[in-house]
Amino acid sequence: MKPLTLPPRLLMGPGPINCYPRVLQAMSHQLVGQYDPAMTGCMNEVMSLYRDVFDTQNQHTVLVDGTSRAGIEAVLVSCIEPGDKVLVPIFGRFGHLLCEIAERAGADVHSIEVPWGEVFEPEQIEAAIKQVRPKVLAVVQGDTSTTMLQPLEHLGEICRRYDVLFYSDATASIGGNPFHTDDWGLDAVSVGLQKCLGGPSGSAPITLSEHYVDLVRTRHHIEAGIREDSHQAARGSRIRSNYFDIPMILDYWGESRLNHHTEAASMLFCARECAINLLEEGIEASIKRHKTAGDAMLAGIQAMDLMPFGNLSHKMNNVVGVEIPDCVDGEAIRQQLLLDFNIEIGTSFGPLKGRIWRIGTMGYNARQDAVLHTLQSLETVLRRAGHKMALGEGVDAALGVYASAGASYE
Amino acid sequence: MKPLTLPPRLLMGPGPINCYPRVLQAMSHQLVGQYDPAMTGCMNEVMSLYRDVFDTQNQHTVLVDGTSRAGIEAVLVSCIEPGDKVLVPIFGRFGHLLCEIAERAGADVHSIEVPWGEVFEPEQIEAAIKQVRPKVLAVVQGDTSTTMLQPLEHLGEICRRYDVLFYSDATASIGGNPFHTDDWGLDAVSVGLQKCLGGPSGSAPITLSEHYVDLVRTRHHIEAGIREDSHQAARGSRIRSNYFDIPMILDYWGESRLNHHTEAASMLFCARECAINLLEEGIEASIKRHKTAGDAMLAGIQAMDLMPFGNLSHKMNNVVGVEIPDCVDGEAIRQQLLLDFNIEIGTSFGPLKGRIWRIGTMGYNARQDAVLHTLQSLETVLRRAGHKMALGEGVDAALGVYASAGASYE
């Protein structure tokens, strides 16, 4: 059996993307035991690092062991009791996912929709809250399926006014677009590592307000196999999942250190390195780097006579949708980029399937060279497929954006 | 912020244990895209490798992205509809966990119990099946909380006779004790990497029979955000979890490659290497190595006038329980082993808390040197704590076991 040898792809899709080398290295650290002071110290350090990533003072900032949708499901299933109303503004595929997960947790889900490529005004969301009176507002910040970034900054105040828990899935946006948990009044946020944080999928950092935690703690049950006489008796309706039971996860991460799962230590080390990498660069600097790379990619695409998708004033910094020209076969273009140039760009879901490509510039790959190689290669493949455009314009436009941003990023 | 520097512990508890260096290295491979042929090829290879690990022909052999209890929950929540009867024979902490997870999935859970340190006779389980008439029999193979290994070989035939789905959690035992999915008539098995497979926690290999898959596929629902007209309409009662929805997970791993989660690629690479490492050694050879290391540790413990816990004829190869002598403080001994000798041994749960230590010899650490260092260090710490024993007897007894096993293992 051969050692793993995968081709050296440049991953310029909507994520996952290439990991920072230091993040990959961090996973190969040898383990220590689950309750070793060195391990619990590392867990505490990770909690502290992600408070900075989330821009929050929330004590309850931990990892859920699974991919980003594990974080979503943990947040939702722990706070939803069957019949609870949940409001989901849907502006892309991941809004549908929030509905799906909330429904399976037993929620009475209400949704509002805008066409893919648009976002909501706060007034639209407030009107729906007034009508539905939900327990939870669940909204995606950046939905890679449409490349749109939903403004969240006015929603916390609205939620407070109507006594609604405010949750956002910021998996695709964190680190490349502004995010302020406390200033925006969020009660729960979940993310993943595989987008602008430059790690692999497999760990879901979450942060939870005191309000959220007080609420889910009313449903606290300790497992029979480890329950002791000194533990408080069970109370509240039981959370429908053991794995995603947030009070139990918090008992494991907190001072009582009650056994729940066995922490996925290598992913913990990885999440730690992702956070340190971001914080050493500086969150502002990272967002600026993503903005410049995204602007350069957008300018290049437009200079190649390609049409970007959606409302550009609400585009995420880290991904752009590109309408596939009528004259070419979108999948054949992607295939050639992959096989001849080792560059991956993304396809699409649902109503946009076959209509747009999605090109990401995120994490480690929000770099000038990655943008330039992608534009040049796309130009070559399109040219050979018969698409007409002025040659060299794409890469020149991107270089122009980098020149006026005043720096080139490596 | 400093790079991660953890002490070089020798992890001789009930798991997690030190990983094989090659397994740690495998996680630092750079990623490829989610639907890259190189990635789907790697997923297919992992399916094939775990068929060998599980000794099965089951097509449906995949990873659940999470810790070992993620695998348990996926298997149970996907096959249990609210009100379904589940029978759990409990002989330790992890039997309670199966009950807990099945209850939260809405099952009507029935359990039978033997005292910790014992296992069930097939007749006891058959009698309970006759009485309860469950849909599912869920049983742990090796329960590290008691160190006992439940014989499974006669249960498949019984389950077939009463039309019961037969599921086992073999997390703690696989690779170090015999396991035969098909020969034993299992419908579902879940494991983790962090015991005898010598990896970190964070990926849960599962294997599923056609019978199990046919049953859960009757509850198949495709997510709204990716549903297309050509897809079959939803049918059956919806599985209570999106993340743990096995039909969806199989669609992602199968030929339709329908998007579900984003596969945790680094843990996939890790799971691949764990399997290759086991298969290159040979499953029989690995079990023999675990048996010799376990026997050596047991002999050493007994030679030190310490009392092993439980019914030794049903002890797992890879862990032994040791009664804490009355004259010493069990936690102080553990602490000294950890801090002075960098060796971790385990504490216990529930009725055995404070009563036994648990000492593992598994995966990378099922090695002669690891056994000898642990016995010597335990002797030193016990001697200094005032425990009386004949010095040097423990390590000599262990060396004797290795000598008569005819080889020394590194």
Side-chain angles (χ1 to χ4, degrees):
Chain A
M1 280 162 280
K2 286 183 299 182
L4 190 64
T5 45
L6 300 168
R9 307 291 199 211
L10 179 64
L11 300 176
M12 302 299 282
I17 42 83
N18 298 96
C19 298
Y20 291 100
R22 64 185 284 181
V23 168
L24 293 173
Q25 287 307 318
M27 282 185 281
S28 60
H29 202 298
Q30 186 53 275
L31 308 192
V32 294
Q34 197 175 0
Y35 293 107
D36 192 308
M39 180 69 177
T40 53
C42 182
M43 291 170 77
N44 289 341
E45 188 188 12
V46 166
M47 291 174 78
S48 166
L49 289 165
Y50 276 88
R51 283 185 204 112
D52 290 346
V53 172
F54 283 119
D55 193 16
T56 183
Q57 302 292 318
N58 286 338
Q59 169 65 20
H60 302 293
T61 304
V62 302
L63 307 179
V64 175
D65 286 5
T67 73
S68 43
R69 75 170 63 195
I72 299 173
E73 191 158 320
V75 167
L76 290 177
V77 78
S78 294
C79 73
I80 292 170
E81 302 193 52
D84 281 345
K85 286 183 185 169
V86 175
L87 176 66
V88 182
I90 299 174
F91 59 100
R93 187 252 163 127
F94 291 97
H96 286 290
L97 178 62
L98 298 187
C99 289
E100 151 101 17
I101 292 173
E103 283 168 8
R104 292 190 189 219
D108 175 17
V109 177
H110 297 253
S111 61
I112 51 178
E113 294 195 42
V114 287
W116 287 32
E118 296 294 337
V119 296
F120 292 89
E121 296 294 329
E123 296 72 32
Q124 292 172 283
I125 293 174
E126 180 168 5
I129 286 178
K130 268 166 97 162
Q131 200 189 330
V132 173
R133 292 292 179 153
K135 176 179 183 176
V136 182
L137 172 70
V139 58
V140 172
Q141 185 190 29
D143 196 318
T144 49
S145 71
T146 69
T147 77
M148 293 295 108
L149 188 82
Q150 171 64 46
L152 301 179
E153 53 267 43
H154 301 299
L155 303 184
E157 186 273 322
I158 297 171
C159 285
R160 188 127 323 131
R161 207 141 25 85
Y162 294 93
D163 194 23
V164 173
L165 277 177
F166 180 23
Y167 160 63
S168 182
D169 167 26
T171 299
S173 45
I174 196 115
N177 305 268
F179 196 89
H180 306 289
T181 300
D182 291 355
D183 283 358
W184 294 352
L186 283 143
D187 289 300
V189 185
S190 67
V191 301
L193 306 181
Q194 73 271 24
K195 308 283 182 175
C196 303
L197 299 182
S201 173
S203 179
I206 61 172
T207 188
L208 309 165
S209 71
E210 287 299 322
H211 180 47
Y212 176 94
V213 172
D214 287 347
L215 192 134
V216 299
R217 278 222 187 271
T218 63
R219 305 176 70 189
H220 197 194
H221 293 246
I222 294 172
E223 280 176 39
I226 57 169
R227 198 181 301 138
E228 296 173 22
D229 295 342
S230 62
H231 289 136
Q232 272 195 304
R235 50 202 160 112
S237 76
R238 209 161 178 189
I239 290 165
R240 276 194 175 183
S241 168
N242 168 286
Y243 194 71
F244 293 131
D245 182 312
I246 282 182
M248 287 168 117
I249 294 171
L250 295 180
D251 277 351
Y252 177 66
W253 281 79
E255 283 181 14
S256 59
R257 298 278 173 211
L258 271 184
N259 190 255
H260 180 245
H261 60 284
T262 298
E263 184 61 16
S266 306
M267 289 306 303
L268 175 85
F269 303 158
C270 172
R272 176 185 181 276
E273 198 70 18
C274 285
I276 291 177
N277 183 65
L278 173 68
L279 298 172
E280 283 186 351
E281 177 177 14
I283 294 177
E284 287 309 310
S286 172
I287 293 170
K288 183 162 184 289
R289 176 167 60 86
H290 281 86
K291 172 93 172 88
T292 305
D295 286 351
M297 186 66 84
L298 174 63
I301 289 296
Q302 291 174 313
M304 286 163 72
D305 286 333
L306 295 168
M307 186 75 80
F309 172 78
N311 182 343
L312 296 183
S313 55
H314 291 292
K315 193 182 85 56
M316 294 159 72
N317 287 334
N318 49 308
V319 59
V320 62
V322 181
E323 304 265 4
I324 300 168
D326 289 336
C327 59
V328 301
D329 173 345
E331 283 307 289
I333 299 290
R334 287 206 322 123
Q335 192 77 350
Q336 244 180 303
L337 274 173
L338 188 73
L339 299 184
D340 289 342
F341 296 86
N342 260 333
I343 294 177
E344 181 183 86
I345 66 171
T347 179
S348 298
F349 296 115
L352 297 179
K353 187 171 174 180
R355 220 187 108 193
I356 69 167
W357 297 304
R358 294 175 300 152
I359 305 181
T361 44
M362 52 183 104
Y364 186 45
N365 292 350
R367 298 193 319 266
Q368 178 176 298
D369 65 292
V371 171
L372 302 180
H373 285 300
T374 303
L375 288 168
Q376 286 177 167
S377 304
L378 183 60
E379 179 185 290
T380 299
V381 173
L382 284 173
R383 173 171 59 77
R384 293 168 62 94
H387 179 68
K388 301 282 178 234
M389 69 204 129
L391 300 184
E393 299 278 329
V395 69
D396 284 353
L399 280 166
V401 169
Y402 271 100
S404 53
S408 85
Y409 298 88
E410 282 183 18
Chain B
M1 279 162 282
K2 287 182 298 183
L4 191 63
T5 45
L6 299 170
R9 306 291 199 211
L10 179 63
L11 300 177
M12 302 298 284
I17 43 82
N18 298 95
C19 299
Y20 289 100
R22 64 186 284 183
V23 168
L24 293 173
Q25 286 307 317
M27 283 186 279
S28 60
H29 202 297
Q30 187 53 273
L31 308 191
V32 295
Q34 197 175 1
Y35 293 107
D36 193 308
M39 180 69 178
T40 53
C42 182
M43 290 169 76
N44 289 343
E45 189 188 11
V46 166
M47 291 173 76
S48 166
L49 289 165
Y50 277 89
R51 281 183 205 114
D52 290 344
V53 172
F54 284 119
D55 192 17
T56 182
Q57 302 292 320
N58 287 337
Q59 169 65 21
H60 302 293
T61 303
V62 301
L63 306 179
V64 174
D65 286 4
T67 72
S68 43
R69 74 171 62 196
I72 298 172
E73 191 158 321
V75 167
L76 290 177
V77 78
S78 293
C79 73
I80 292 171
E81 302 194 54
D84 282 346
K85 286 183 187 170
V86 175
L87 176 66
V88 183
I90 299 174
F91 59 101
R93 188 251 162 127
F94 292 97
H96 285 291
L97 179 62
L98 298 186
C99 289
E100 151 102 17
I101 291 172
E103 283 169 8
R104 292 191 189 219
D108 174 15
V109 177
H110 297 252
S111 61
I112 51 177
E113 296 196 40
V114 287
W116 286 34
E118 296 293 335
V119 298
F120 292 89
E121 296 296 328
E123 296 72 31
Q124 291 172 285
I125 293 173
E126 180 169 6
I129 286 177
K130 269 167 98 162
Q131 198 188 334
V132 173
R133 292 292 180 153
K135 176 179 184 178
V136 182
L137 172 70
V139 58
V140 172
Q141 185 190 29
D143 195 318
T144 50
S145 70
T146 69
T147 75
M148 292 296 106
L149 189 84
Q150 171 64 47
L152 301 179
E153 53 267 42
H154 302 298
L155 303 184
E157 187 274 320
I158 297 172
C159 285
R160 188 130 318 131
R161 210 145 17 91
Y162 295 93
D163 193 22
V164 173
L165 277 178
F166 181 22
Y167 159 62
S168 183
D169 166 26
T171 299
S173 44
I174 195 116
N177 306 269
F179 196 91
H180 305 289
T181 299
D182 291 355
D183 282 357
W184 295 353
L186 283 143
D187 290 299
V189 185
S190 67
V191 301
L193 307 181
Q194 73 272 21
K195 309 281 185 179
C196 303
L197 299 181
S201 173
S203 180
I206 61 173
T207 189
L208 308 165
S209 72
E210 287 299 323
H211 179 47
Y212 176 96
V213 172
D214 288 347
L215 191 134
V216 301
R217 279 222 187 274
T218 63
R219 307 175 70 189
H220 196 191
H221 292 247
I222 294 172
E223 278 176 39
I226 57 170
R227 198 181 302 139
E228 295 174 22
D229 294 343
S230 62
H231 288 136
Q232 273 196 304
R235 51 203 159 110
S237 76
R238 207 162 181 191
I239 291 166
R240 277 195 175 181
S241 168
N242 169 288
Y243 194 71
F244 293 131
D245 184 311
I246 282 181
M248 287 167 114
I249 293 171
L250 296 180
D251 277 352
Y252 177 66
W253 281 78
E255 282 181 15
S256 59
R257 298 278 172 209
L258 271 185
N259 189 256
H260 180 246
H261 62 285
T262 297
E263 185 59 17
S266 306
M267 289 307 303
L268 175 84
F269 303 158
C270 172
R272 175 184 181 278
E273 198 70 19
C274 286
I276 291 177
N277 183 65
L278 173 69
L279 298 171
E280 283 185 353
E281 177 176 12
I283 295 178
E284 287 308 312
S286 173
I287 293 170
K288 181 161 184 289
R289 175 167 60 86
H290 280 86
K291 172 93 171 87
T292 306
D295 285 350
M297 185 65 84
L298 174 63
I301 289 297
Q302 290 175 314
M304 288 163 71
D305 287 331
L306 295 169
M307 185 75 81
F309 172 78
N311 183 341
L312 295 183
S313 56
H314 290 292
K315 193 182 85 61
M316 295 160 71
N317 287 333
N318 49 308
V319 62
V320 62
V322 181
E323 304 265 5
I324 300 169
D326 288 338
C327 59
V328 302
D329 172 345
E331 283 308 288
I333 299 290
R334 289 206 322 123
Q335 191 77 351
Q336 243 179 305
L337 274 172
L338 188 73
L339 300 183
D340 288 342
F341 296 87
N342 260 333
I343 295 177
E344 182 183 87
I345 66 170
T347 179
S348 299
F349 296 115
L352 297 179
K353 188 171 172 180
R355 219 187 108 193
I356 69 167
W357 296 305
R358 293 175 300 152
I359 305 181
T361 43
M362 52 183 102
Y364 186 46
N365 292 350
R367 298 195 318 268
Q368 178 176 298
D369 65 293
V371 171
L372 302 181
H373 285 301
T374 303
L375 287 168
Q376 288 177 166
S377 303
L378 182 60
E379 178 184 290
T380 299
V381 173
L382 283 173
R383 174 172 57 76
R384 294 168 62 92
H387 179 67
K388 302 279 176 239
M389 70 204 128
L391 300 185
E393 300 277 331
V395 69
D396 285 352
L399 280 164
V401 169
Y402 270 101
S404 53
S408 85
Y409 297 89
E410 284 184 12

